[in-house]
Amino acid sequence: MKKLLWAILTFGLLFSLVSLNEVHATNVQNVNDIKFSVQDTENLKSLGFTNEELIQMTEEEYLANKDIKGEIVDTETKYIKTIIYGDTLDEQSIDSHKRFLDTPGNTVTIELDEDTFNQELKAEENPIKTLDTTNTEYKKFTTTISKISSTKYRLKNTLTWKKMPSTREWDVSGVGINETYWAPVPNSQYGKQNWTKHSTCFGYEYGSATYNTSSSYWKKGSGGYAHKMNLPNNDFGGGCGHKSVTALSSYMYYDVSRQQSTRQIDAYGRYSHQTSSLSTSVSFSITGPSLSISPSNRFDGPISTHAQVKW
């Protein structure tokens, strides 16, 4: 945990100094022993990578991105609260939240402003104990457009769980585009999950799952790319065998190239979380602003973002 905290503070300080042009030669090393120069950090930040993503970046991803110079030209962030009611959902609860219910599984999805989101998270640190079977989850979702050249852009989703989800099976993340003017660049896609687990014996341990171009979890089409991921669960067991997931985030991206003359690019970010257990396979597709998932009643209504640039 000390190594992770040091890395977070160091990356934050480094980037703030880079922004002020006060650093001349500095190297920062992440948990995978990759040494980032000031220029590396500046380039990676320009593609939408966060401090947390740099801390656990693999050598494969580092080498593929460190020399690309981009510019973040638009971003949109949503702060989402999800309420998942148990089997004892009563009529009064249904009536009070009827306008929010988006699946037959008694799931409520509410978009909050940033201040309310943070206030509610703070209150969740000391929850009131009741016999209610309701679970409440919080997540932050961001879609970013980075300009690489006049005809090439990077589209990226970042999802951070601020309160761990009770169900951790399949989730889907994707970005749709206007296929009339833009097309995905083949083999530019990459996805990753990062997590932290804690046990009383071993302290904090870091894990990840990557989804590169050879992964079978991608769904690729002319209208966008999306992929599914299996979220990590707690490890149950006596003593040292018990490990709890304490932090969880994910991201995905791919590049697009211009096919016809246009003065606009749209990135339709979508993320859908599985809210109840599933015994069958998950199928999905994305085209423009539309993300389709089957069986839909096992997932919450997708978070929707829309980053856009006109010139």
Side-chain angles (χ1 to χ4, degrees), residues 264-306:
Q264 178 175 322
I265 182 170
D266 298 90
Y268 302 100
R270 299 292 183 265
Y271 190 97
S272 191
H273 169 63
Q274 184 181 332
T275 57
S276 60
S277 296
L278 183 68
S279 58
T280 58
S281 60
V282 177
S283 61
F284 60 98
S285 64
I286 190 166
T287 301
S290 176
L291 173 65
S292 300
I293 300 178
S294 179
S296 60
N297 64 346
R298 300 285 183 170
F299 289 79
D300 59 14
I303 309 173
S304 299
T305 51
H306 182 199

Short mmCIF file of all heavy atoms in Angstrom, two decimals, residues 264-306:
data_model
loop_
_atom_site.label_atom_id
_atom_site.label_comp_id
_atom_site.label_asym_id
_atom_site.label_seq_id
_atom_site.Cartn_x
_atom_site.Cartn_y
_atom_site.Cartn_z
N GLN A 264 -16.70 17.52 -37.64
CA GLN A 264 -17.24 17.10 -36.34
C GLN A 264 -16.86 15.65 -36.06
O GLN A 264 -16.80 14.82 -36.96
CB GLN A 264 -18.77 17.24 -36.36
CG GLN A 264 -19.48 16.79 -35.10
CD GLN A 264 -20.96 17.09 -35.17
OE1 GLN A 264 -21.39 18.12 -35.70
NE2 GLN A 264 -21.78 16.18 -34.66
N ILE A 265 -16.62 15.35 -34.78
CA ILE A 265 -16.44 13.97 -34.35
C ILE A 265 -17.23 13.78 -33.05
O ILE A 265 -17.22 14.65 -32.17
CB ILE A 265 -14.96 13.60 -34.15
CG1 ILE A 265 -14.84 12.11 -33.75
CG2 ILE A 265 -14.26 14.50 -33.15
CD1 ILE A 265 -13.43 11.58 -33.77
N ASP A 266 -17.94 12.66 -32.96
CA ASP A 266 -18.74 12.31 -31.79
C ASP A 266 -18.24 10.99 -31.20
O ASP A 266 -17.95 10.05 -31.95
CB ASP A 266 -20.21 12.16 -32.16
CG ASP A 266 -20.81 13.44 -32.69
OD1 ASP A 266 -20.74 13.66 -33.92
OD2 ASP A 266 -21.34 14.20 -31.88
N ALA A 267 -18.16 10.94 -29.88
CA ALA A 267 -17.83 9.70 -29.17
C ALA A 267 -18.96 9.39 -28.20
O ALA A 267 -19.19 10.13 -27.25
CB ALA A 267 -16.51 9.85 -28.42
N TYR A 268 -19.69 8.32 -28.48
CA TYR A 268 -20.82 7.92 -27.64
C TYR A 268 -20.36 6.84 -26.66
O TYR A 268 -20.29 5.66 -27.00
CB TYR A 268 -21.96 7.39 -28.50
CG TYR A 268 -22.46 8.37 -29.55
CD1 TYR A 268 -22.04 8.27 -30.88
CD2 TYR A 268 -23.33 9.40 -29.21
CE1 TYR A 268 -22.50 9.16 -31.84
CE2 TYR A 268 -23.79 10.30 -30.17
CZ TYR A 268 -23.37 10.17 -31.48
OH TYR A 268 -23.81 11.06 -32.44
N GLY A 269 -20.00 7.28 -25.44
CA GLY A 269 -19.54 6.34 -24.44
C GLY A 269 -20.69 5.60 -23.79
O GLY A 269 -21.72 6.19 -23.47
N ARG A 270 -20.51 4.30 -23.60
CA ARG A 270 -21.54 3.47 -22.97
C ARG A 270 -20.89 2.48 -22.00
O ARG A 270 -19.84 1.90 -22.30
CB ARG A 270 -22.34 2.69 -24.02
CG ARG A 270 -23.08 3.58 -25.04
CD ARG A 270 -24.21 4.36 -24.39
NE ARG A 270 -24.97 5.15 -25.32
CZ ARG A 270 -24.75 6.45 -25.58
NH1 ARG A 270 -23.76 7.08 -24.95
NH2 ARG A 270 -25.50 7.11 -26.44
N TYR A 271 -21.57 2.28 -20.84
CA TYR A 271 -21.10 1.28 -19.87
C TYR A 271 -22.32 0.66 -19.21
O TYR A 271 -23.20 1.37 -18.73
CB TYR A 271 -20.21 1.91 -18.80
CG TYR A 271 -19.51 0.89 -17.93
CD1 TYR A 271 -18.20 0.50 -18.20
CD2 TYR A 271 -20.16 0.31 -16.84
CE1 TYR A 271 -17.56 -0.45 -17.41
CE2 TYR A 271 -19.53 -0.64 -16.05
CZ TYR A 271 -18.22 -1.02 -16.33
OH TYR A 271 -17.59 -1.96 -15.56
N SER A 272 -22.37 -0.67 -19.17
CA SER A 272 -23.50 -1.37 -18.56
C SER A 272 -22.98 -2.43 -17.60
O SER A 272 -22.08 -3.21 -17.94
CB SER A 272 -24.38 -2.01 -19.63
OG SER A 272 -25.60 -2.46 -19.08
N HIS A 273 -23.56 -2.44 -16.40
CA HIS A 273 -23.13 -3.33 -15.33
C HIS A 273 -24.16 -4.43 -15.08
O HIS A 273 -25.36 -4.16 -15.00
CB HIS A 273 -22.91 -2.53 -14.05
CG HIS A 273 -22.71 -3.35 -12.82
ND1 HIS A 273 -21.64 -4.20 -12.67
CD2 HIS A 273 -23.46 -3.47 -11.70
CE1 HIS A 273 -21.72 -4.80 -11.50
NE2 HIS A 273 -22.82 -4.38 -10.88
N GLN A 274 -23.68 -5.64 -14.94
CA GLN A 274 -24.57 -6.76 -14.62
C GLN A 274 -24.98 -6.68 -13.16
O GLN A 274 -24.14 -6.66 -12.26
CB GLN A 274 -23.88 -8.09 -14.90
CG GLN A 274 -24.77 -9.30 -14.67
CD GLN A 274 -24.06 -10.60 -14.93
OE1 GLN A 274 -23.14 -10.66 -15.73
NE2 GLN A 274 -24.48 -11.65 -14.25
N THR A 275 -26.28 -6.65 -12.91
CA THR A 275 -26.78 -6.45 -11.55
C THR A 275 -27.31 -7.70 -10.89
O THR A 275 -27.64 -7.69 -9.71
CB THR A 275 -27.90 -5.38 -11.56
OG1 THR A 275 -28.94 -5.80 -12.46
CG2 THR A 275 -27.35 -4.04 -12.00
N SER A 276 -27.45 -8.79 -11.66
CA SER A 276 -27.89 -10.05 -11.06
C SER A 276 -27.18 -11.20 -11.75
O SER A 276 -26.70 -11.07 -12.88
CB SER A 276 -29.42 -10.22 -11.19
OG SER A 276 -29.81 -10.22 -12.54
N SER A 277 -27.11 -12.33 -11.05
CA SER A 277 -26.35 -13.47 -11.55
C SER A 277 -26.90 -13.98 -12.87
O SER A 277 -28.09 -13.86 -13.16
CB SER A 277 -26.35 -14.60 -10.52
OG SER A 277 -25.68 -14.20 -9.35
N LEU A 278 -26.01 -14.57 -13.64
CA LEU A 278 -26.34 -14.95 -15.01
C LEU A 278 -25.86 -16.37 -15.27
O LEU A 278 -24.74 -16.72 -14.94
CB LEU A 278 -25.64 -13.98 -15.97
CG LEU A 278 -25.89 -14.12 -17.46
CD1 LEU A 278 -27.33 -13.75 -17.78
CD2 LEU A 278 -24.94 -13.20 -18.22
N SER A 279 -26.73 -17.18 -15.84
CA SER A 279 -26.37 -18.57 -16.13
C SER A 279 -26.13 -18.80 -17.61
O SER A 279 -25.68 -19.85 -18.02
CB SER A 279 -27.47 -19.51 -15.64
OG SER A 279 -28.71 -19.20 -16.26
N THR A 280 -26.44 -17.79 -18.45
CA THR A 280 -26.25 -17.93 -19.88
C THR A 280 -25.19 -16.94 -20.36
O THR A 280 -24.73 -16.09 -19.60
CB THR A 280 -27.55 -17.65 -20.64
OG1 THR A 280 -28.02 -16.33 -20.32
CG2 THR A 280 -28.62 -18.66 -20.24
N SER A 281 -24.77 -17.05 -21.60
CA SER A 281 -23.74 -16.18 -22.14
C SER A 281 -24.29 -14.79 -22.41
O SER A 281 -25.50 -14.60 -22.55
CB SER A 281 -23.16 -16.78 -23.42
OG SER A 281 -24.19 -16.92 -24.40
N VAL A 282 -23.39 -13.82 -22.51
CA VAL A 282 -23.74 -12.43 -22.77
C VAL A 282 -23.41 -12.10 -24.22
O VAL A 282 -22.30 -12.35 -24.68
CB VAL A 282 -22.97 -11.48 -21.84
CG1 VAL A 282 -23.28 -10.03 -22.17
CG2 VAL A 282 -23.28 -11.79 -20.39
N SER A 283 -24.37 -11.55 -24.94
CA SER A 283 -24.10 -11.05 -26.29
C SER A 283 -24.34 -9.55 -26.31
O SER A 283 -25.20 -9.04 -25.60
CB SER A 283 -24.99 -11.76 -27.32
OG SER A 283 -26.36 -11.51 -27.06
N PHE A 284 -23.58 -8.83 -27.15
CA PHE A 284 -23.68 -7.37 -27.15
C PHE A 284 -23.16 -6.83 -28.48
O PHE A 284 -22.44 -7.50 -29.22
CB PHE A 284 -22.87 -6.77 -26.00
CG PHE A 284 -21.40 -7.09 -26.04
CD1 PHE A 284 -20.50 -6.18 -26.56
CD2 PHE A 284 -20.93 -8.32 -25.58
CE1 PHE A 284 -19.14 -6.48 -26.61
CE2 PHE A 284 -19.58 -8.62 -25.63
CZ PHE A 284 -18.68 -7.70 -26.14
N SER A 285 -23.55 -5.59 -28.76
CA SER A 285 -23.06 -4.89 -29.95
C SER A 285 -23.23 -3.40 -29.73
O SER A 285 -24.06 -2.97 -28.92
CB SER A 285 -23.81 -5.33 -31.21
OG SER A 285 -25.19 -4.98 -31.11
N ILE A 286 -22.43 -2.60 -30.45
CA ILE A 286 -22.53 -1.15 -30.34
C ILE A 286 -22.48 -0.55 -31.74
O ILE A 286 -21.68 -0.96 -32.58
CB ILE A 286 -21.42 -0.57 -29.45
CG1 ILE A 286 -21.68 0.92 -29.17
CG2 ILE A 286 -20.04 -0.78 -30.05
CD1 ILE A 286 -20.84 1.48 -28.05
N THR A 287 -23.38 0.40 -31.99
CA THR A 287 -23.42 1.14 -33.25
C THR A 287 -23.85 2.56 -32.94
O THR A 287 -24.98 2.79 -32.50
CB THR A 287 -24.40 0.52 -34.26
OG1 THR A 287 -24.02 -0.83 -34.52
CG2 THR A 287 -24.39 1.29 -35.56
N GLY A 288 -22.94 3.52 -33.13
CA GLY A 288 -23.28 4.89 -32.79
C GLY A 288 -23.67 4.99 -31.33
O GLY A 288 -22.99 4.46 -30.46
N PRO A 289 -24.79 5.63 -31.02
CA PRO A 289 -25.20 5.79 -29.62
C PRO A 289 -25.90 4.57 -29.02
O PRO A 289 -26.27 4.59 -27.85
CB PRO A 289 -26.17 6.98 -29.68
CG PRO A 289 -26.75 6.90 -31.05
CD PRO A 289 -25.65 6.39 -31.94
N SER A 290 -26.06 3.51 -29.79
CA SER A 290 -26.84 2.36 -29.34
C SER A 290 -25.95 1.21 -28.87
O SER A 290 -25.15 0.67 -29.65
CB SER A 290 -27.75 1.88 -30.48
OG SER A 290 -28.46 0.71 -30.10
N LEU A 291 -26.09 0.83 -27.60
CA LEU A 291 -25.45 -0.36 -27.04
C LEU A 291 -26.53 -1.38 -26.74
O LEU A 291 -27.44 -1.12 -25.96
CB LEU A 291 -24.68 -0.04 -25.76
CG LEU A 291 -24.10 -1.24 -25.00
CD1 LEU A 291 -23.02 -1.93 -25.81
CD2 LEU A 291 -23.54 -0.80 -23.63
N SER A 292 -26.45 -2.55 -27.37
CA SER A 292 -27.44 -3.61 -27.17
C SER A 292 -26.79 -4.76 -26.41
O SER A 292 -25.68 -5.19 -26.75
CB SER A 292 -27.96 -4.12 -28.52
OG SER A 292 -28.57 -3.07 -29.25
N ILE A 293 -27.49 -5.24 -25.37
CA ILE A 293 -26.99 -6.35 -24.56
C ILE A 293 -28.11 -7.35 -24.35
O ILE A 293 -29.26 -6.98 -24.11
CB ILE A 293 -26.48 -5.87 -23.19
CG1 ILE A 293 -25.35 -4.86 -23.35
CG2 ILE A 293 -26.00 -7.05 -22.34
CD1 ILE A 293 -24.83 -4.31 -22.04
N SER A 294 -27.78 -8.62 -24.43
CA SER A 294 -28.74 -9.68 -24.16
C SER A 294 -28.10 -10.71 -23.23
O SER A 294 -26.95 -11.09 -23.45
CB SER A 294 -29.17 -10.35 -25.48
OG SER A 294 -30.08 -11.38 -25.24
N PRO A 295 -28.83 -11.10 -22.14
CA PRO A 295 -30.19 -10.71 -21.75
C PRO A 295 -30.20 -9.34 -21.05
O PRO A 295 -29.50 -9.14 -20.06
CB PRO A 295 -30.61 -11.81 -20.79
CG PRO A 295 -29.33 -12.31 -20.20
CD PRO A 295 -28.29 -12.16 -21.26
N SER A 296 -30.99 -8.42 -21.55
CA SER A 296 -30.99 -7.04 -21.07
C SER A 296 -31.48 -6.90 -19.63
O SER A 296 -31.09 -5.96 -18.93
CB SER A 296 -31.82 -6.16 -22.00
OG SER A 296 -33.17 -6.62 -22.05
N ASN A 297 -32.34 -7.82 -19.18
CA ASN A 297 -32.90 -7.68 -17.84
C ASN A 297 -31.92 -8.06 -16.74
O ASN A 297 -32.25 -7.99 -15.55
CB ASN A 297 -34.19 -8.49 -17.70
CG ASN A 297 -33.97 -9.99 -17.83
OD1 ASN A 297 -32.91 -10.43 -18.28
ND2 ASN A 297 -34.97 -10.77 -17.48
N ARG A 298 -30.71 -8.46 -17.11
CA ARG A 298 -29.68 -8.76 -16.12
C ARG A 298 -28.70 -7.59 -15.94
O ARG A 298 -27.79 -7.67 -15.13
CB ARG A 298 -28.89 -10.00 -16.54
CG ARG A 298 -29.73 -11.26 -16.68
CD ARG A 298 -30.12 -11.82 -15.33
NE ARG A 298 -30.86 -13.08 -15.46
CZ ARG A 298 -31.15 -13.89 -14.46
NH1 ARG A 298 -30.75 -13.57 -13.23
NH2 ARG A 298 -31.84 -14.99 -14.65
N PHE A 299 -28.89 -6.53 -16.71
CA PHE A 299 -27.97 -5.39 -16.69
C PHE A 299 -28.72 -4.11 -16.39
O PHE A 299 -29.90 -3.98 -16.70
CB PHE A 299 -27.27 -5.25 -18.04
CG PHE A 299 -26.26 -6.34 -18.33
CD1 PHE A 299 -26.67 -7.58 -18.76
CD2 PHE A 299 -24.91 -6.10 -18.16
CE1 PHE A 299 -25.76 -8.59 -19.02
CE2 PHE A 299 -23.99 -7.09 -18.41
CZ PHE A 299 -24.40 -8.34 -18.86
N ASP A 300 -27.99 -3.15 -15.79
CA ASP A 300 -28.61 -1.84 -15.59
C ASP A 300 -28.61 -1.09 -16.92
O ASP A 300 -27.92 -1.45 -17.87
CB ASP A 300 -27.91 -1.05 -14.49
CG ASP A 300 -26.43 -0.80 -14.76
OD1 ASP A 300 -25.99 -0.99 -15.91
OD2 ASP A 300 -25.72 -0.40 -13.82
N GLY A 301 -29.44 -0.04 -16.97
CA GLY A 301 -29.47 0.78 -18.18
C GLY A 301 -28.10 1.39 -18.39
O GLY A 301 -27.50 1.92 -17.44
N PRO A 302 -27.52 1.34 -19.58
CA PRO A 302 -26.14 1.79 -19.73
C PRO A 302 -25.95 3.26 -19.39
O PRO A 302 -26.81 4.09 -19.67
CB PRO A 302 -25.85 1.53 -21.22
CG PRO A 302 -27.19 1.51 -21.89
CD PRO A 302 -28.12 0.94 -20.87
N ILE A 303 -24.82 3.56 -18.75
CA ILE A 303 -24.42 4.95 -18.58
C ILE A 303 -24.13 5.50 -19.96
O ILE A 303 -23.47 4.84 -20.77
CB ILE A 303 -23.17 5.07 -17.70
CG1 ILE A 303 -23.32 4.29 -16.40
CG2 ILE A 303 -22.85 6.54 -17.41
CD1 ILE A 303 -22.04 4.24 -15.59
N SER A 304 -24.59 6.71 -20.25
CA SER A 304 -24.41 7.29 -21.57
C SER A 304 -23.68 8.62 -21.48
O SER A 304 -24.12 9.53 -20.78
CB SER A 304 -25.78 7.50 -22.25
OG SER A 304 -26.46 6.28 -22.40
N THR A 305 -22.56 8.72 -22.18
CA THR A 305 -21.84 9.98 -22.30
C THR A 305 -21.75 10.36 -23.78
O THR A 305 -21.86 9.50 -24.65
CB THR A 305 -20.43 9.88 -21.71
OG1 THR A 305 -19.77 8.73 -22.28
CG2 THR A 305 -20.47 9.75 -20.20
N HIS A 306 -21.53 11.63 -24.03
CA HIS A 306 -21.40 12.10 -25.41
C HIS A 306 -20.34 13.19 -25.45
O HIS A 306 -20.60 14.35 -25.10
CB HIS A 306 -22.73 12.63 -25.93
CG HIS A 306 -22.68 13.09 -27.35
ND1 HIS A 306 -23.64 13.93 -27.89
CD2 HIS A 306 -21.79 12.86 -28.35
CE1 HIS A 306 -23.35 14.18 -29.17
NE2 HIS A 306 -22.22 13.54 -29.46
#
